[in-house]
Amino acid sequence: MRGEVFYNTASEFFSPLQGEEKYRTTGFNEMALIYGTCELSFRKTADLINRKRYQENDGTPYRTIQNITECEGLKIQKHIEQKSEKIISLSDFSHEIINKEDALELYEPIPSELKKEEYTKIIDDFKIKPSLKSKIANNPVPYESLGNAVNISLDDVGVKEQKEKRSKTEQENIDKNETQRKKRKYIQNTVVHIEHKDRNYMLNGYGIFYVLRLLVAFLIHNNINNIILVFYIDGHGLYSKILQFYYWNKKILIILDWYHLVKKCKELLSMAVCGSKIRNDVLDEILPLLWHGLVDEAISYLKSIASEKIRNKKEIEHLIGYLRKNRGIIPAYSVRAKIGLRNSSNRGEKANDLLVAHRQKKNGMSWSRTGSVSLASITALSKNKEYQKWFDHGEIEFKFAS
């Protein structure tokens, strides 16, 4: 009938908006989010947009840019979460993706993909005592094939949490004396860098188990879940969490990052022995042993340090306990380096720098939980080269960037 409305473009063609929200073009989104807030502050992004649009007076305020960033980041996170749940629910792994507390007891190391004669030949060329060569060859951490594994680096990064309200008295104390500042709370973003055959992808989120679940979905979606997964981590805390979540996977390998192992030894020895000279002498002895994966020999040396050289015996015991606890993830780094395998989680730390630290850890900055994760999600969208399809169709392929 005449005058009857069959199709309303205002509500059915375009998604409904809230309050003063406006429809945004793909060009605006790219300028504001990809070339703007991923690299610049909200104020500088607003200035950039207003100059480009010749609206330097009464243009888009920076608070609007901040709200757009937070809303878009939350949409991205929700979309990836829903996509991950769908992928897992349609897979054969759906009944196994659970948190199992006794996973450490169930875990069995995978067999080496390399034949023993391949790496014993490398070990024979090392200029060390012959008695140690067989011990290096018997290191319990296996070797994956070069270029075949999926390399996964995990890292947490904390940014200052924004306070909802600051009292006048507290502000006065901060202004008078910086030492009176209360201990800050931090928001922890977890970032995962995934690498396979020169392709990479980055995931982020709030909490390790949340991100590990996204990782499962990503691996299934890219048909690489049956390949050896090599996790590079910075300590035993992540080790136990990965096993709790991936205990069912029979092709998993966990490596303690060499840099963090060296850093831990330096920190604990600085507190344990008398002076930097003794500390450096001890490091000169134990680091070559640890580089070859000779944990027992390093522990024996630490036990043999003369008592007059020790300032704090508890810290020596702490270091010995640390090495024992991580024995199963300390490989023969020297052999891996000769083969061409990775020993470092530095790609995860670099991913953290790209997604979070570059924008969020500058002096004076503090963030809400949603604001921090949202901005990191948009940056991940950019680095993964997914933003074009997202802005045009509201879809993320969830696949490796070339």
Side-chain angles (χ1 to χ4, degrees):
M1 295 179 64
R2 184 175 295 177
E4 186 175 352
V5 176
F6 291 97
Y7 189 78
N8 186 353
T9 58
S11 60
E12 297 177 36
F13 186 76
F14 297 104
S15 57
L17 302 178
Q18 301 293 327
E20 297 183 3
E21 193 176 3
K22 295 178 174 61
Y23 294 108
R24 289 178 271 122
T25 64
T26 298
F28 179 89
N29 284 331
E30 286 186 20
M31 188 190 302
L33 301 175
I34 305 304
Y35 304 113
T37 58
C38 286
E39 302 294 333
L40 307 170
S41 69
F42 298 126
R43 288 182 186 274
K44 288 181 178 179
T45 299
D47 291 342
L48 172 67
I49 290 171
N50 293 332
R51 283 199 307 272
K52 292 287 186 182
R53 301 170 78 188
Y54 300 100
Q55 293 179 325
E56 295 189 28
N57 296 319
D58 300 323
T60 303
Y62 82 92
R63 287 288 186 188
T64 300
I65 301 297
Q66 183 176 346
N67 292 336
I68 288 172
T69 302
E70 189 166 320
C71 291
E72 198 70 20
L74 291 175
K75 286 179 186 177
I76 293 167
Q77 278 286 311
K78 185 177 180 181
H79 175 78
I80 292 176
E81 187 175 353
Q82 290 174 344
K83 193 179 188 81
S84 298
E85 291 298 326
K86 186 176 180 181
I87 291 168
I88 292 173
S89 66
L90 295 174
S91 74
D92 296 332
F93 299 96
S94 57
H95 64 287
E96 295 173 320
I97 311 298
I98 57 174
N99 177 8
K100 199 167 184 66
E101 296 292 341
D102 58 350
L104 285 167
E105 300 172 11
L106 298 172
Y107 173 66
E108 295 180 7
I110 60 171
S112 262
E113 288 191 334
L114 296 182
K115 293 180 181 178
K116 193 166 184 177
E117 53 265 27
E118 291 183 67
Y119 54 86
T120 51
K121 187 177 180 181
I122 293 171
I123 296 169
D124 287 340
D125 293 334
F126 290 153
K127 295 179 180 179
I128 57 173
K129 294 178 182 178
S131 60
L132 295 177
K133 292 183 179 181
S134 61
K135 293 182 179 180
I136 297 173
N138 293 324
N139 188 290
V141 182
Y143 302 96
E144 72 276 18
S145 295
L146 181 62
N148 186 45
V150 180
N151 295 314
I152 302 167
S153 304
L154 296 98
D155 199 19
D156 286 329
V157 59
V159 299
K160 294 175 183 176
E161 184 178 9
Q162 192 175 66
K163 293 185 178 181
E164 293 183 8
K165 188 177 181 181
R166 176 177 286 166
S167 67
K168 185 177 179 181
T169 304
E170 183 183 354
Q171 183 61 53
E172 289 173 353
N173 288 337
I174 291 170
D175 293 339
K176 287 178 181 178
N177 192 340
E178 196 70 19
T179 60
Q180 294 181 3
R181 184 189 296 270
K182 292 184 178 180
K183 186 177 180 181
R184 278 229 181 238
K185 293 182 179 179
Y186 287 83
I187 299 164
Q188 294 293 332
N189 273 281
T190 302
V191 173
V192 180
H193 181 274
I194 313 154
E195 181 186 52
H196 181 53
K197 294 183 177 178
D198 297 324
R199 299 176 300 163
N200 60 79
Y201 201 90
M202 288 180 273
L203 297 169
N204 78 286
Y206 190 83
I208 182 67
F209 287 117
Y210 172 79
V211 176
L212 286 175
R213 192 173 182 86
L214 298 184
L215 176 61
V216 172
F218 179 84
L219 296 173
I220 295 170
H221 190 57
N222 287 267
N223 299 315
I224 54 175
N225 203 51
N226 290 324
I227 303 171
I228 286 182
L229 309 179
V230 186
F231 288 86
Y232 297 88
I233 61 173
D234 60 8
H236 197 78
L238 277 176
Y239 171 62
S240 58
K241 288 173 182 175
I242 290 169
L243 289 188
Q244 280 180 241
F245 207 83
Y246 280 80
Y247 77 96
W248 48 270
N249 193 312
K250 304 305 179 186
K251 292 188 175 183
I252 182 173
L253 176 60
I254 302 176
I255 303 291
L256 179 62
D257 169 63
W258 170 249
Y259 169 80
H260 284 91
L261 175 58
V262 173
K263 182 182 177 183
K264 192 73 172 180
C265 291
K266 288 180 177 179
E267 288 175 351
L268 293 178
L269 284 172
S270 293
M271 296 182 285
V273 298
C274 303
S276 59
K277 185 180 183 306
I278 296 174
R279 185 202 74 153
N280 292 337
D281 290 342
V282 175
L283 287 171
D284 288 343
E285 294 292 335
I286 66 168
L287 290 184
L289 293 172
L290 293 174
W291 177 245
H292 288 304
L294 298 168
V295 177
D296 289 336
E297 285 66 25
I299 290 174
S300 295
Y301 182 84
L302 290 171
K303 288 181 176 180
S304 70
I305 298 173
S307 58
E308 62 269 17
K309 295 180 179 180
I310 297 175
R311 180 172 60 186
N312 189 336
K313 190 175 181 179
K314 286 185 178 180
E315 295 301 334
I316 289 286
E317 292 171 354
H318 186 179
L319 179 54
I320 291 171
Y322 170 81
L323 294 175
R324 282 176 175 161
K325 187 167 60 174
N326 289 289
R327 187 197 308 270
I329 56 176
I330 296 177
Y333 297 101
S334 55
V335 180
R336 291 181 62 83
K338 286 288 184 182
I339 296 170
L341 301 173
R342 275 174 55 185
N343 284 320
S344 173
S345 64
N346 56 6
R347 286 164 179 80
E349 293 174 9
K350 182 61 179 177
N352 245 339
D353 183 54
L354 290 172
L355 300 192
V356 182
H358 171 67
R359 269 286 282 115
Q360 299 186 36
K361 286 182 73 70
K362 295 177 181 177
N363 289 337
M365 284 190 170
S366 58
W367 301 82
S368 66
R369 173 175 163 177
T370 53
S372 175
V373 174
S374 293
L375 181 55
S377 299
I378 293 171
T379 310
L381 188 79
S382 173
K383 300 303 180 185
N384 293 329
K385 301 179 183 177
E386 296 261 36
Y387 65 88
Q388 195 68 55
K389 191 167 186 177
W390 172 254
F391 292 145
D392 288 344
H393 307 291
E395 178 63 35
I396 291 174
E397 289 190 10
F398 210 42
K399 289 189 175 180
F400 280 111
S402 300

